[in-house]
Amino acid sequence: MVEKWQPELEEFKETRENYLLYESSNLDEEQRESPLSNSNTIVWTIIGGTILAGLGVLCYIKQRKE
């Protein structure tokens, strides 16, 4: 299935280049496609998840008090 979509994916990538606000970074193709290759992404994902979990707990506690 992935191989079947490659031509359309390449066409999309070429078309979208005309509409990007910023130039693509100097990262190679593999690094751009894998958000987990960037350690900052991992850190912010963990921080965001922790905040959301904390908010969920607070909402649960508030609901139980009512």
Side-chain angles (χ1 to χ4, degrees):
M1 185 180 263
V2 173
E3 290 176 13
K4 181 180 176 184
W5 291 348
Q6 282 303 333
E8 288 88 0
L9 176 61
E10 293 305 318
E11 182 180 333
F12 168 77
K13 286 180 180 180
E14 290 175 14
T15 302
R16 86 179 189 119
E17 285 292 322
N18 297 324
Y19 300 97
L20 292 176
L21 296 176
Y22 304 101
E23 291 184 26
S24 298
S25 67
N26 292 330
L27 298 174
D28 65 8
E29 191 69 28
E30 183 178 316
Q31 287 175 319
R32 266 185 277 182
E33 290 183 6
S34 175
L36 295 180
S37 65
N38 184 342
S39 61
N40 287 336
T41 302
I42 296 170
V43 169
W44 284 110
T45 300
I46 292 170
I47 291 171
T50 304
I51 291 170
L52 288 174
L55 288 172
V57 169
L58 289 174
C59 289
Y60 175 78
I61 291 171
K62 182 179 178 188
Q63 182 183 19
R64 295 283 295 179
K65 286 184 178 182
E66 294 176 352

